[in-house]
Every structure is written in structure tokens, then in C-alpha cells.
Amino acid sequence: MQNVSNDSLVEDPAELMAQPATPAAPVSTANEQGNDRCIVKRSDGVYVDAGVLGATFETAVNNLFCTHAYFAGLNYAVFLKVMFGHGPDLPRAVNGETMIRFAADIVPFTPERRELYRAVKISDGNAEYYFEPVFLRNQNDPQGGDLPAMLDVDEFISDLWVKGIRFGVKVAAVRAAMLPGKSERVTVAQRLDPVLGVDAHIVEVSEDIHRSDAPRQLANGKLDLMAFQNRFPQIKKGMRLLKKVPRKAGVHGFELSGMIIEPPIPTDIELGKLAGPGTVIESSAAGEFLVSLQAGFLAVDGKTQQISVGDKIVSRDGVSARTTGNLQLTGDYEEYGEVQEKRLIEGDSILLHADVFGNIVSRGGTIMLDSNLVGGTAHNANGDICVRGVISGSVVQTKHGTVTLHRAESCVISGTRVQIDHASNCEIIADEVFITTAEGCAIAGRRIVLESAGPRKQSEMAIYALVPDSATIDAQLAELNAKVEACAQGIVKRQGDMDALTNLPEVRQYMTLATKIRKKEMTLTPEQEPQFQKMLVAVGPTLKAIGALSNDVKTLGVGKQAILDMVSQVVRQKNEVAGEGYVKVSMVNGDTLASSMKFHPDGSSLFDLTPKDIKAKLRRVDTPGDVIFSGDCGAIDWKLV
């Protein structure tokens, strides 16, 4: 059902206190008018007692309308409010006044006028009336001729009442339809449908608190068939999980007859039935909530629907398309089963006990693999990675952390620090690299220490010492030094010009006299002052030129110092970038090439590259820099100077 608003309420209830008084008329009581005592006619209008509203007022109005009278100047909005309690609030009483004005007068509804109003068609809560020109019989015409007449809104409301329509008259529409020259069918009254209430219900306060194995919906509306909606909900301590929204009663409506239409009573529920271990019901001014007592992982009992929060999530089913799908967690995760190929686990600290064939992503914890990593990846944004088994054909990368491996074969490895017992046919780049045995690898780093290095089958052994490329910094230093020299030359030139002007006889003589006068070592007589002013006029342009040169010298001096400060800053930057670099190989077993590789010291990470870029960077044929070592035996001990 719809809540239909009536344009009949355009009249302001405040008018009941604001309408001007009618011309002076005898004050009559309700009894004198033949009406019930609740309606009182005064000289300034018709009033109703505020203490007897509703049914009593309705009975009094019905008696008045049925005795062929009506309310002139009726305020329909106040009329409905007094009778049915519908509409805007009535204004507050002034000076203890208990009477409410709702009309201007009570006047007779003559039979001749009643005949002007025809039947009303009522259908589905709407009342329709056909408006057309009307005529009154001319009492002064012996021939019985008719005179044009006008319908009246107040009479129309009274006529509708007698016909059973007591609510919802559309006063504005009726008044517009009564204008001269109109013939049209108009909806003159309308039922007010009730507003349905709201059942008490439970809403989720936090996101992702329920376990769902349905495919996850992406931001673009598509479904990710490789991931479930929420396999392992994770909860913080004190988090509000669910909230009970209390039921809200509806608003009753009205039939055209004025009969109340009651909406259905909303249903209620109990939130306490859903509280399981690790949760509690919390009531406050904000409402009733189901709150977690501890941090942990959320579980829902399929039978009782109770929600509980445990300390830790431990999975033994493995990670596959059948069991969990891809996992995107906000906490730690421990798995005893295998991680299948192409499956993704994303979280903080991740501990996996079985073999991994998929992809592991940590946002900042520790990745620990007790078994093997085969054909998969392990990425950590800010933390360590440790694999106790064998990694083969895989990618292991951390942006800020240490990679610790037992055995690596045909892998791409990068990190702040890389430690490997045995590496073969791998591409490795890091700030620090420590490998016991390296075979057929391409290794790049600032500090490299290998116990043994050599080729493996068709894979060459290549070692690259990352050396900062200072060409840009050197060019910047040269440019700054040239500016310093230019400032120095400018200062010398302007200082020479200023000395030449200062040594002119007339200038020197004036400045000597001016100095003595300023120090009060001598005083000019009245006869000498004009001569001194003539000297000032004569040397004035020269003094201005000397002042301009002096300002130029100061400006160039300030600029020179600023450039010198920049030179010092660039030199410090160059020294910081250079740092400490070395390559140490205890034993070379086969053809091994060690050379330098320059990098741009722009502050970005040296090893935060994609696997494809790392391979392209380390396996290119051309020699990237100066050769440090080339041979099939011996040792390497090189240090960046």
C-alpha cells in the first residue's frame, strides 16, 4: 500500500489563531445553534473544545451536517486534525485558551443549494465528481427561468459528509475545478493508505562476519570463481558483529469514511539466541549488539546459528578449488594440507606445513614453508620468507626482509638479504647475498659472499657488483661549481669597479669631510654649508653607482653561499649512495664472470623488480660494466673504492 498525501492539507493549522474576527455578531452558544456543547459559535468564528476532540466532535459535526447546515470558512486541515488526529500539529494554546477555531461561521444549507450537488463515484479508495456549470431557479421569473450559479467548497464538504465521505477531501483540486467555465471529472477525495511498520531484524555491523563459499563478487560486478566470499571471517576484540534493529510500528491510514486502517503488527526477535562462546550481548544507548570478547576468527554453528569467536584459525583441509578457494585473510594463517596449483593465500604471517604449488602473499608478517615450494610464488611486502624444503621453478621475493632457503633450483629470488645453502640456475638480486654453493646462477648485489661458485651444464655463472652511477651527481656538482666560480668572478669585478670610483679625488675628499662631520670631528660654518652641498651634488651620481655596486657584491655573496650549501648537500648524497660494496668468492669451480653493474641512485629499491625484469637484467649477453674477474678457478676478493 502507498502512503497517499492529500493536497487538502495546504491550509495551515496556525490560521486557527491568526484569522481575523468576523464583524460583530451576537455571541451564541452551542445550545442556541442546536449543536452539541463541544462546538461553540462566537462572534469571531466557530470553535471546538480541545478537551472533547475525536469521536465527540465527529458526532457533533454529523448532527450539524444532517440538519442541513455547514461550516463557512472551514479550515479543513484543522478540521481533520481535530476530528481524526491527522495532519500538522495544532498551535499551542495562548493564555490558557482551550478552544480551537476551525471555521468562520455556521450557516444553513438550503434545499435549493443542496440540489446543485450530484452523486459521487467511489472506486478503490478514490471519490470522483463530474464538475459542470450549474443553475439556480430564478424565483422572480414567472416563466421559471434559471440563473448561472457557483458551487461552494464548504457546501461541497458538507454534501460529501452526508454521502459518507468524511476524510481526504482534496480541497485545492475541488476549488480549482469549481472555477467558471470548467467541465471535468476530478478526484475530490482519496483514501490514506497505512504506512507499514518494520519487523525487528538483525543487521551486520562489521563486514565479512559470515562464512560464505559462494563465488566472490568483484568491484566490477563480475564473479571470481577462484575465491569464496568469506571462508575464514576474522574478528577483533570488542568488535560489534551484529545489531538488533527494534521493530517499528506503522502509521495507520484512513478510509474515505474516516474509519482507521490499522497496519499489521511488526514481529520481534531475540538477539541473545545468537550469542555463542567468545561473544556477549551489549546494550547501550546506541542499541543492542552482539560483541566479540576476544580477537580471533569467527565461526557460525550451522544448526543453532550461534556465532562464536576463537583464538586461532587452523586448517587441515588444504587450499584448493574444492575446499577453500583463494584466501584473502586479515590475520595469521596455518595450514596442514597442500596448497594446490594456482591457488592464492593472502594474509599476514603464513605457516604452511605441506607442499605448496600455489601463490603465497604476505602483507607484512613472516612466510614459513616447512616443506617444498614447486612452481609457485612467495611474496612478502614487509617481512621475511623461509623455506625449509626445496623450491623449484618458483619466485620468492620480499621488498623489505630476508629470504632464507635451503635449496633453490631454477628460481627468481630477490630481497633485502638473501641466504641460500645451495642455489642452481637461479637469478638472484639483493642488497646482500650469502650463498654456500652457487651453480649456474646470475647474482647481483651490493655485498656478495659465496663459498663456492661455478657454472652448471648450459648455465653460466655470472656475478654483478651493483655500483652507483655517479655521472648525474658529478654533472650536477660540476654545474654548481661553475656557478660558484661565476659568482666569485662577479664579486671581484664589482669590487674593483667600486674601488676605482671610491679613489676618485673629489669622491675621496667628500667622503673624508662627510665622515668627520658625522663623527662630529668638525663643524661647518654657515658660509661652508653651501660649498659642502655643491660637493654632494657633484659626486651624487658617483655615490649612487658605488652603492649599486656594493649591493651587487652582497647579492652575489649570498648566492655564492647558497650554491656552496647545495654543493655540500650533493657531496653528502654521493657519499651516502656509494656506501660499502664488495664481492667475495672463496672458491671458483669453473668459468665464472664477475663484473660491475651500474644503477641509478634515485632512492628506489634495487631489487623490487618483476621476475621478468630480473631475468632480463641478469641474463643479458653484453658485459654491463668493468670486469672484476674472469676465470675458471681461484678466488675473488673485490671491494668498491
Side-chain angles (χ1 to χ4, degrees), residues 183-463:
S183 296
E184 59 180 341
R185 184 173 296 277
V186 177
T187 299
V188 295
Q190 197 167 32
R191 175 181 63 201
L192 179 65
D193 293 329
V195 178
L196 295 179
V198 180
D199 295 337
H201 56 282
I202 304 297
V203 295
E204 297 178 359
V205 180
S206 61
E207 298 180 356
D208 299 332
I209 68 169
H210 60 276
R211 182 171 180 169
S212 173
D213 291 344
R216 176 177 298 160
Q217 186 172 13
L218 303 177
N220 58 9
K222 296 182 179 180
L223 296 179
D224 182 2
L225 301 180
M226 298 295 103
F228 297 161
Q229 284 280 0
N230 192 10
R231 182 67 178 180
F232 302 111
Q234 303 177 38
I235 304 301
K236 295 180 181 179
K237 182 179 179 180
M239 178 183 291
R240 290 176 174 178
L241 307 177
L242 302 176
K243 178 182 179 181
K244 175 185 175 180
V245 179
R247 61 181 175 180
K248 181 180 179 181
V251 180
H252 62 256
F254 291 92
E255 294 284 2
L256 294 178
S257 63
M259 182 180 296
I260 294 177
I261 307 174
E262 293 289 353
I265 299 175
T267 58
D268 198 7
I269 57 174
E270 293 184 18
L271 182 59
K273 293 182 178 180
L274 301 180
T279 64
V280 67
I281 300 298
E282 178 185 276
S283 297
S284 65
E288 189 175 359
F289 297 89
L290 179 68
V291 181
S292 62
L293 288 174
Q294 63 185 50
F297 296 87
L298 184 142
V300 180
D301 190 313
K303 295 182 179 179
T304 65
Q305 299 301 312
Q306 282 191 338
I307 295 178
S308 60
V309 178
D311 293 332
K312 186 179 181 181
I313 180 171
V314 178
S315 174
R316 300 181 183 275
D317 299 330
V319 179
S320 65
R322 179 183 60 83
T323 57
T324 64
N326 294 336
L327 295 177
Q328 292 182 333
L329 310 174
T330 58
D332 299 344
Y333 180 72
E334 183 176 2
E335 176 63 66
Y336 283 87
E338 286 188 353
V339 179
Q340 288 190 353
E341 185 180 1
K342 296 183 180 180
R343 294 285 74 79
L344 170 68
I345 300 177
E346 182 178 356
D348 294 332
S349 290
I350 300 173
L351 173 58
L352 306 175
H353 298 283
D355 290 342
V356 176
F357 302 92
N359 305 310
I360 313 301
V361 178
S362 171
R363 290 183 292 269
T366 299
I367 297 177
M368 175 68 72
L369 308 184
D370 280 344
S371 191
N372 305 316
L373 174 63
V374 181
T377 62
H379 293 271
N380 199 333
N382 186 22
D384 299 338
I385 300 175
C386 179
V387 182
R388 295 174 179 171
V390 176
I391 67 170
S392 176
S394 302
V395 175
V396 177
Q397 294 182 293
T398 176
K399 294 182 179 180
H400 302 284
T402 299
V403 176
T404 304
L405 308 174
H406 171 59
R407 185 180 183 88
E409 299 175 352
S410 302
C411 298
V412 176
I413 304 163
S414 67
T416 307
R417 180 185 177 95
V418 173
Q419 297 181 172
I420 307 175
D421 292 337
H422 190 281
S424 61
N425 196 29
C426 295
E427 290 79 33
I428 304 167
I429 184 170
D431 271 346
E432 299 179 350
V433 180
F434 301 91
I435 301 176
T436 303
T437 302
E439 296 177 337
C441 297
I443 303 171
R446 301 287 298 274
R447 293 169 291 279
I448 301 174
V449 177
L450 310 178
E451 292 294 327
S452 175
R456 183 177 187 275
K457 296 182 180 180
Q458 303 300 321
S459 297
E460 298 178 347
M461 184 68 208
I463 302 172

Side-chain angles (χ1 to χ4, degrees), residues 425-638:
N425 196 29
C426 295
E427 290 79 33
I428 304 167
I429 184 170
D431 271 346
E432 299 179 350
V433 180
F434 301 91
I435 301 176
T436 303
T437 302
E439 296 177 337
C441 297
I443 303 171
R446 301 287 298 274
R447 293 169 291 279
I448 301 174
V449 177
L450 310 178
E451 292 294 327
S452 175
R456 183 177 187 275
K457 296 182 180 180
Q458 303 300 321
S459 297
E460 298 178 347
M461 184 68 208
I463 302 172
Y464 303 105
L466 294 174
V467 177
D469 186 357
S470 61
T472 302
I473 295 180
D474 291 340
Q476 186 178 3
L477 284 174
E479 182 180 354
L480 292 175
N481 288 328
K483 290 182 179 180
V484 171
E485 181 62 25
C487 288
Q489 292 177 1
I491 292 173
V492 171
K493 182 179 183 304
R494 285 164 178 76
Q495 188 66 51
D497 294 342
M498 188 169 59
D499 292 341
L501 293 176
T502 304
N503 290 328
L504 291 174
E506 60 273 17
V507 175
R508 187 168 61 251
Q509 181 182 4
Y510 170 79
M511 294 181 67
T512 300
L513 289 174
T515 302
K516 290 182 178 182
I517 293 172
R518 186 173 62 255
K519 293 182 178 181
K520 297 183 180 180
E521 294 178 357
M522 65 176 295
T523 303
L524 297 177
T525 64
E527 293 79 10
Q528 292 174 331
E529 286 184 359
Q531 295 178 358
F532 182 76
Q533 291 298 327
K534 289 181 180 181
M535 291 178 63
L536 174 60
V537 172
V539 300
T542 305
L543 293 177
K544 289 183 179 180
I546 293 174
L549 290 172
S550 178
N551 290 334
D552 289 348
V553 170
K554 292 179 181 179
T555 302
L556 290 172
V558 173
K560 177 183 177 182
Q561 185 58 48
I563 298 172
L564 287 174
D565 292 341
M566 293 177 63
V567 170
S568 299
Q569 182 179 354
V570 173
V571 170
R572 285 195 303 270
Q573 180 183 356
K574 180 179 179 180
N575 294 335
E576 290 173 359
V577 169
E580 181 184 8
Y582 54 81
V583 175
K584 296 182 180 180
V585 180
S586 300
M587 183 171 58
V588 175
N589 293 322
D591 291 336
T592 299
L593 175 64
S595 58
S596 63
M597 176 183 288
K598 291 185 177 182
F599 68 92
H600 294 288
D602 55 1
S604 61
S605 175
L606 304 176
F607 47 83
D608 186 16
L609 304 173
T610 65
K612 181 179 179 181
D613 291 339
I614 292 175
K615 283 190 174 185
K617 188 178 186 69
L618 303 185
R619 290 297 186 181
R620 59 187 181 184
V621 178
D622 58 311
T623 302
D626 298 333
V627 175
I628 296 173
F629 176 88
S630 179
D632 58 2
C633 62
I636 303 175
D637 189 357
W638 174 87

Side-chain angles (χ1 to χ4, degrees), residues 35 59-71 74 79 83 109 114 154-155 157-162 166:
N35 301 320
T59 301
V61 170
N62 186 65
N63 292 339
L64 186 143
F65 285 161
C66 289
T67 56
H68 308 307
Y70 69 92
F71 298 110
L74 177 66
F79 183 74
M83 185 171 301
F109 195 179
R114 289 201 307 271
D154 296 330
E155 292 178 346
I157 292 174
S158 176
D159 183 70
L160 290 179
W161 181 283
V162 175
R166 303 185 175 186

